[in-house]
Amino acid sequence: MAVSQQQASSRDRRTGFVLGVALWLFTLATLWLFGANLHKMPPPASDFAPQIDAILWVILGISVIGFVGLHLYLGWVALSRPAEVRAIYLPADRPKEWLWVLVPIGLLLVADLTFDHMSNKVWGAFFGKPPANAFEVEVTGQQFAWHVRYPGADGRFGRTNPRLISDENPIGLDLSDPAARDDILLINVMHVPEGRPVMIYLRSRDVLHSFFLPPMRIKMDCVPGYTTRMWFTPQRKGNYEIACAELCGMGHYNMKGLLVVEDEQAVQNWLAQQTPFSKRGQ
Ligand SMILES: [Cu+2]
């Protein structure tokens, strides 16, 4: 049985109304979820953190404007669509098609260059050479823990050798190297001084991990067979979580450690209480 033109029109109108309202409600709900701040980052606690946050806010701002604008417009089109307009055939229109290609490319390029300009400064510092007085720590990821190594009194990390890795020697520290004898090796705990650049060397014993300090806005992959590094200056005392941000196996969720930011003197006192790896069990 054929549907009359009038029935079809009122059904189109209803569909348009439902679609338009749904699009607007979806937009409002998304904005509300965003405003409710369900996934907010912890307050920034390092020197780079405010700059990284600024980049994230600009990216988010541009995305929100695009998202809200587009959805409000789509909803409005659905709501205001006259019922009698049927689908029509549009012949190719080269200039218009080029416009549809070039305008988005232009907008994306402007956004991209803005992000580049903002991030180059902080990225350059982040991955570049740290100040000479940096406090050095090495972290080796392993399923599912962080081995934290301090160079000890000589200020030099001793040699490691993967062949020496065992349950007792988790990072394969080579004690025939004099520089290794005072190295301090800990698990899942790291103390660093407030207000002094901290250089972190990152390694992995098995699979890819990602060393993540959310309040410092620091995140870097740990790659097997390779040493990655980055530095930052902690600017707020406190206890923070060290998280793994790379799905690395069944225990990934449980791969976490404690980062303590405190006075330089407190860090030195704490380090003085630790037994070097070579003297353990003696
Ligand atoms: Cu991991």
Side-chain angles (χ1 to χ4, degrees):
M1 197 169 62
V3 184
S4 80
Q5 188 65 42
Q6 205 175 3
Q7 276 174 324
S9 301
S10 71
R11 201 176 57 198
D12 282 0
R13 227 185 247 286
R14 216 164 43 233
T15 311
F17 177 77
V18 170
L19 184 63
V21 170
L23 278 166
W24 282 5
L25 284 179
F26 172 70
T27 313
L28 279 177
T30 310
L31 282 177
W32 176 79
L33 277 174
F34 173 67
N37 242 343
L38 298 180
H39 301 288
K40 67 177 166 196
M41 291 286 272
S46 78
D47 53 346
F48 294 142
Q51 294 175 63
I52 292 174
D53 282 359
I55 298 169
L56 292 178
W57 279 109
V58 168
I59 294 174
L60 193 67
I62 292 176
S63 311
V64 166
I65 291 169
F67 173 82
V68 172
L70 201 67
H71 279 78
L72 289 183
Y73 174 71
L74 278 176
W76 176 77
V77 168
L79 282 170
S80 63
R81 182 177 177 276
E84 62 273 15
V85 174
R86 315 302 301 174
I88 49 167
Y89 172 74
L90 291 170
D93 182 341
R94 274 291 149 88
K96 260 191 189 165
E97 281 164 19
W98 273 109
L99 212 62
W100 277 110
V101 172
L102 292 177
V103 168
I105 287 180
L107 287 175
L108 281 177
L109 209 63
V110 169
D112 228 28
L113 290 175
T114 310
F115 304 152
D116 268 2
H117 177 73
M118 291 182 77
S119 53
N120 272 346
K121 272 183 278 180
V122 58
W123 246 229
F126 197 57
F127 294 114
K129 228 174 145 47
N133 66 336
F135 180 88
E136 293 186 308
V137 195
E138 182 202 78
V139 178
T140 303
Q142 180 197 353
Q143 290 171 320
F144 300 97
W146 300 105
H147 299 286
V148 178
R149 177 158 69 132
Y150 289 89
D154 64 354
R156 291 199 301 135
F157 290 107
R159 202 167 47 226
T160 58
N161 181 345
R163 289 178 200 282
L164 298 174
I165 288 177
S166 65
D167 283 350
E168 293 74 39
N169 190 353
I171 65 164
L173 199 57
D174 182 355
L175 294 178
S176 68
D177 177 11
R181 296 205 189 121
D182 62 351
D183 284 11
I184 294 164
L185 190 63
L186 303 164
I187 194 157
N188 291 337
V189 63
M190 182 165 127
H191 287 224
V192 295
E194 183 198 24
R196 179 173 163 193
V198 176
M199 179 80 195
I200 301 188
Y201 299 95
L202 291 165
R203 305 170 66 195
S204 170
R205 198 183 115 162
D206 37 40
V207 299
L208 278 179
H209 300 279
S210 181
F211 183 79
F212 186 25
L213 303 176
M216 309 295 164
R217 308 294 191 265
I218 287 287
K219 191 191 275 175
M220 174 67 89
D221 275 6
C222 307
V223 186
Y226 196 78
T227 301
T228 47
R229 40 165 246 182
M230 85 228 149
W231 69 278
F232 65 100
T233 308
Q235 293 197 315
R236 202 153 44 81
K237 284 185 200 130
N239 293 356
Y240 306 103
E241 185 183 336
I242 302 172
C244 181
E246 180 75 58
L247 184 57
C248 58
M250 291 294 277
H252 164 68
Y253 71 96
N254 206 21
M255 182 165 171
K256 53 188 170 189
L258 172 69
L259 171 74
V260 179
V261 177
E262 56 191 359
D263 281 336
E264 173 91 40
Q265 196 50 51
V267 176
Q268 297 304 341
N269 292 346
W270 175 79
L271 276 174
Q273 289 165 15
Q274 309 304 319
T275 311
F277 176 75
S278 63
K279 302 212 171 65
R280 271 197 214 160
Q282 284 179 12

